[in-house]
Amino acid sequence: MPEQPGPGEGRRPGRRRSEVSREAILQAATDLVVDQGYAAASIEKIAQRAGVGKQTIYRWWPSKGDVLMEALARKADTFIPLPDEGSWSADLRRMLEDSFRLGQNPQIAELLRALMVEAQLDPGFGTSFRTEFLERRRTALATLVDRARSRGDLPPGLTADFAADVVFGVIWYRLLAVPGPFDADLADHLVNLLTRTSA
């Protein structure tokens, strides 16, 4: 006689299928933006490429922008960890290096530009983008600032908001306005600026 599933085990295949579908949707949306551009990446095309129905997408996300925002946030969380490197300067450099490595990926750069444009055109999505993605990255940097403050090696007067304005201001300026490399020289300049103590 076949073994009967324990409590909750009968639902696992359904959960696994949902997770697989969700990952397929996120990947399909990312690929479509890279292949055809943001404007062409409709919910219908995303569903077709992912092998799901449109209603499956709408059950989880209200728009294609929200799909792509989650895809991007997941990549950022995965590829930009926040390990304790022992000092404010080392923590900051590690975060910058990881962020720059991700930003050098053409797919990621294209996603960032597309989502920022959408955030300017759609006020509702703009609010979501600021609270669910931009603030999420600022909070990650604030974690490093708070850690440095606890260790006692944070430069006097430096705030998490100012550090975020400098770091992310530079990143977005180079992505959207005047293209420039995300390289070791840029990391050096930012670290030097944000670790300098007052004379």
Side-chain angles (χ1 to χ4, degrees), residues 37 39 69 72 74 124 126 140 152 175-176 182 185 187 198:
M69 181 168 61
L72 190 59
R74 284 194 181 193
L175 278 170
L176 298 172
F182 294 110
D185 285 342
S198 300

Side-chain angles (χ1 to χ4, degrees), residues 31-43:
D31 292 344
L32 274 169
V33 169
V34 174
D35 293 345
Q36 301 178 21
Y38 184 83
S42 65
I43 290 290

Side-chain angles (χ1 to χ4, degrees), residues 6 17 20 28 34 59 70 83 98 128 145 148-149 171-172 191:
R17 282 194 295 272
V20 169
V34 174
R59 185 166 66 244
E70 180 170 332
D98 290 339
S128 297
V145 172
R149 185 179 293 110
I171 290 174
W172 282 108
V191 170

